[in-house]
Amino acid sequence: MNSRYSWLIKILLISTLFVLSSCDSKSKDVIRSNFFGIHINNSKSPSTEADLSNHLGNGSIRLWDARVSWRHLEPQKGRFNFELLDGLVARAIKNNQEIVLTMGQPPDWATGGKALTPFGTGYNSLPPENIEDWRNYVRTVAERYKGQIKYYEIWNEPNLKDFYSGSIIELVNLTREANQILKRIDPENKVISPSVTGDATYLNDYLRLGGNKVVDIIGVHLYVSPELPEKSISMIKKYKEVMLKNKVGEIPLWNTEWTWLNFMLDGKFNDTQIMPETMASAYLARKFFIDVGMGIDRSFFYGFNYGASKIRLVDDTNPKLILMPSVAYKNVTSWLTGAQVLDFSYNNRRDTYKLSILSSEGKKALIIWTKNSLKEFKIPSDFDEEGKYYSVIGEVKEYHKRKVQLTDIPIIVYEQ
């Protein structure tokens, strides 16, 4: 019997309070830097933001809200402007970052001279009227960036009417057409499903109506604002159930967008202030750890310079000033890149979360945290009686008799 399944059976027999996440065989793979994604948003030129984001350890970027959607690339029929996208692609390649390009948001000329959305001139929720216009757009982009852009996400948050107001059947057809063109130009291209947010029912309908036959990757957005990061555990389970139901349970599941747009502070809802740095660092780190523990294949924080995000990586008034959440991001990538996930588990009664990994140096390590209050935690007996532990915000402390004080800020303990 596989040792992981044997271990699982033993744990379940010991206690019904101990809940294990769905770590399938994919979790045994080495975590690469491309697991960690980020957005370069509202770009006017591929400059400071892209340079700074390269130092966080992320190996992927997603281009959305970067002024490179269809309506920006082809403002007039047949007249393309690739200057900004060329720069962003070149910089990502230089930084060894893989690129996700989110397609859609047609120019008005492709939707009968109309645009439907409250978000302004950069968006249009209408699908194109003529499928040939869509085909030409996909073909032109794919030919230009062959071998440079490999991942194409077909639409952003189609379950929100302000982003997509067509039918699911139309969306499946747009995906099918894009899939055929992209694979014909380069068989290595991968198609990411339109990324739904908070709506497993919409994903189920999309897959049921034929989407399951025309995608290589399932994309979702795991927003839990204003709740704690751990809320996303149940969301991931629902999405995975939908994937299994529609016979795509074995393909990758990507979280292509997440941040906090609001939060709870001292029991009060807050959507006007930036999240306190320590809290923001804890939330960011825990979300990455949950995603990797639950078998998400890539996770894209939104975003490096997104004005609505309550988690900020840099100071608004001085973009070169790195804030504490950037330190947390960098520590997360350094802890996990090159590591293997052994298991992810959580104890509902004790409110503790544990991500067990084999580090890139071949050492067993335990990443642990609690959601709220201070708790004493007993480190397993295969770790040293005395030693050090490291917090995701850079603190170093000693532990004795295998006891550590857990908080909502994740820590890591290495086997000596």
Side-chain angles (χ1 to χ4, degrees):
M1 179 183 290
N2 182 289
S3 60
R4 180 175 64 84
Y5 290 106
S6 176
W7 178 85
L8 173 59
I9 291 171
K10 291 176 183 178
I11 292 297
L12 289 174
L13 289 173
I14 292 171
S15 174
T16 59
L17 292 172
F18 196 72
V19 183
L20 188 67
S21 76
S22 54
C23 288
D24 56 22
S25 59
K26 295 177 185 176
S27 66
K28 298 298 183 184
D29 296 336
V30 171
I31 302 166
R32 296 170 57 204
S33 64
N34 62 15
F35 169 82
F36 304 99
I38 207 164
H39 295 71
I40 306 299
N41 310 107
N42 303 312
S43 300
K44 294 184 179 179
S45 64
S47 55
T48 305
E49 295 87 354
D51 282 336
L52 288 174
S53 70
N54 184 50
H55 297 291
L56 298 176
N58 58 297
S60 297
I61 66 168
R62 177 176 180 250
L63 297 178
W64 165 251
D65 275 345
R67 301 175 70 246
V68 293
S69 66
W70 184 5
R71 62 192 294 105
H72 295 103
L73 295 180
E74 193 183 8
Q76 295 178 311
K77 185 171 182 175
R79 299 183 64 178
F80 284 85
N81 181 357
F82 288 110
E83 182 179 1
L84 177 56
L85 184 53
D86 282 350
L88 290 168
V89 169
R91 191 170 295 272
I93 292 172
K94 178 182 177 182
N95 293 336
N96 296 314
Q97 294 166 333
E98 295 184 338
I99 304 162
V100 172
L101 179 63
T102 303
M103 310 193 82
Q105 304 303 307
D108 294 359
W109 62 259
T111 56
K114 303 183 296 293
L116 183 62
T117 181
F119 295 143
T121 58
Y123 307 91
N124 187 357
S125 69
L126 295 168
E129 289 188 341
N130 188 339
I131 195 65
E132 285 300 329
D133 293 330
W134 172 257
R135 289 169 178 158
N136 183 63
Y137 156 61
V138 173
R139 185 184 306 110
T140 302
V141 172
E143 287 176 345
R144 185 177 186 88
Y145 297 106
K146 181 179 179 180
Q148 299 179 79
I149 298 178
K150 180 180 177 182
Y151 301 100
Y152 292 88
E153 187 178 53
I154 300 306
W155 212 280
N156 179 76
E157 298 180 354
N159 58 304
L160 301 184
K161 291 295 185 182
D162 292 334
F163 281 126
Y164 178 71
S165 52
S167 71
I168 295 179
I169 289 292
E170 287 176 289
L171 189 60
V172 170
N173 188 49
L174 291 172
T175 310
R176 182 182 296 108
E177 294 288 344
N179 183 299
Q180 292 172 356
I181 294 167
L182 291 166
K183 296 298 178 65
R184 189 182 308 124
I185 291 171
D186 188 348
E188 294 299 310
N189 285 336
K190 302 296 181 184
V191 176
I192 307 171
S193 69
S195 48
V196 301
T197 180
D199 194 345
T201 299
Y202 192 100
L203 177 62
N204 179 72
D205 291 342
Y206 172 84
L207 295 174
R208 176 178 58 83
L209 292 171
N212 62 343
K213 295 180 174 63
V214 293
V215 297
D216 305 295
I217 297 161
I218 301 298
V220 298
H221 292 173
L222 295 174
Y223 282 95
V224 297
S225 310
E227 299 191 56
L228 301 177
E230 291 71 26
K231 173 69 175 179
S232 63
I233 293 174
S234 60
M235 296 174 66
I236 295 170
K237 288 180 178 179
K238 287 180 181 178
Y239 284 128
K240 287 194 168 188
E241 289 171 3
V242 166
M243 290 172 64
L244 285 171
K245 179 181 177 181
N246 289 280
K247 300 179 181 179
V248 289
E250 296 304 313
I251 72 175
L253 175 61
W254 288 15
N255 178 11
T256 62
E257 185 180 313
W258 60 270
T259 187
W260 270 259
L261 304 176
N262 45 62
F263 57 98
M264 301 298 294
L265 185 63
D266 298 326
K268 296 180 180 179
F269 179 84
N270 192 317
D271 65 350
T272 60
Q273 298 174 300
I274 303 303
M275 192 182 292
E277 282 192 87
T278 302
M279 180 180 179
S281 301
Y283 277 31
L284 183 145
R286 282 151 56 187
K287 187 70 195 77
F288 273 129
F289 294 143
I290 289 166
D291 278 4
V292 78
M294 292 294 292
I296 297 289
D297 289 82
R298 295 204 191 183
S299 184
F300 292 76
F301 173 69
Y302 188 72
F304 188 78
N305 55 347
Y306 177 47
S309 175
K310 303 309 178 189
I311 297 178
R312 298 293 174 85
L313 301 184
V314 295
D315 189 295
D316 284 345
T317 60
N318 181 8
K320 294 185 178 181
L321 179 60
I322 297 296
L323 301 178
M324 187 186 292
S326 285
V327 174
Y329 193 118
K330 179 63 178 177
N331 281 331
V332 170
T333 61
S334 66
W335 293 0
L336 292 185
T337 301
Q340 293 174 278
V341 174
L342 301 179
D343 64 77
F344 173 56
S345 56
Y346 45 96
N347 185 313
N348 288 326
R349 183 176 64 84
R350 290 277 296 162
D351 191 26
T352 54
Y353 295 79
K354 301 190 297 182
L355 178 67
S356 180
I357 64 171
L358 187 66
S359 74
S360 59
E361 293 83 17
K363 290 184 178 181
K364 185 177 178 181
L366 195 61
I367 299 169
I368 42 181
W369 72 90
T370 184
K371 285 192 298 189
N372 296 301
S373 58
L374 184 72
K375 296 181 184 296
E376 186 176 85
F377 182 85
K378 189 72 176 289
I379 297 173
S381 59
D382 50 349
F383 287 79
D384 283 353
E385 184 84 10
E386 316 283 333
K388 293 181 179 180
Y389 61 94
Y390 308 83
S391 84
V392 79
I393 59 173
E395 299 171 324
V396 182
K397 296 183 180 180
E398 294 184 351
Y399 69 85
H400 305 281
K401 299 181 179 180
R402 297 199 186 92
K403 293 179 181 179
V404 297
Q405 296 296 318
L406 287 190
T407 70
D408 61 338
I409 302 173
I411 62 172
I412 190 168
V413 183
Y414 289 96
E415 185 181 47
Q416 300 301 313

